[in-house]
Amino acid sequence: MQITKSSVAYASILLFGTASALAGEQYSAPSETQVGALIRVAASAAHARQAARYGYASLATAERSITIDNQTRHINVVRMETIAIRVGEKTVTWTFDTLGTSSFPLSEIIPGTEQVTVYVDENPMYRGGQ
């Protein structure tokens, strides 16, 4: 079989034309539903990054429990302490990994708790010196 310029050109057109057609099918514009889902995922990821400054939800056994009600204005925690926080009918177990943060609104990690400030004390295990 002899390879000519025209056969190479024909093969190139066939190969690249097929690849373009496949790419067009695989990479079509996202639907409104897909765009909405992407926006929700991005917002959730942004909230997760923000909440990470204050620690993280934990599956560890809580060292103690705190119930937040309408009268609660602040809670005191120790850095790296794991606490079960009950708000209404829901409970979140949270580890306060808050290096460099001495206070913050609880609403940063639990919606609906805008009136509560978290005060974070340094863990004695991490204090310098004796």
Side-chain angles (χ1 to χ4, degrees), residues 84-107:
I85 303 170
R86 183 174 180 85
V87 179
E89 296 299 315
K90 296 183 181 181
T91 300
V92 174
T93 302
W94 193 265
T95 298
F96 290 88
D97 186 356
T98 58
L99 185 60
T101 302
S102 60
S103 68
F104 63 92
L106 184 59
S107 61

Side-chain angles (χ1 to χ4, degrees), residues 100-124:
T101 302
S102 60
S103 68
F104 63 92
L106 184 59
S107 61
E108 292 291 337
I109 57 174
I110 302 176
T113 58
E114 287 73 19
Q115 79 279 8
V116 182
T117 300
V118 178
Y119 293 102
V120 184
D121 193 18
E122 185 58 46
N123 190 316

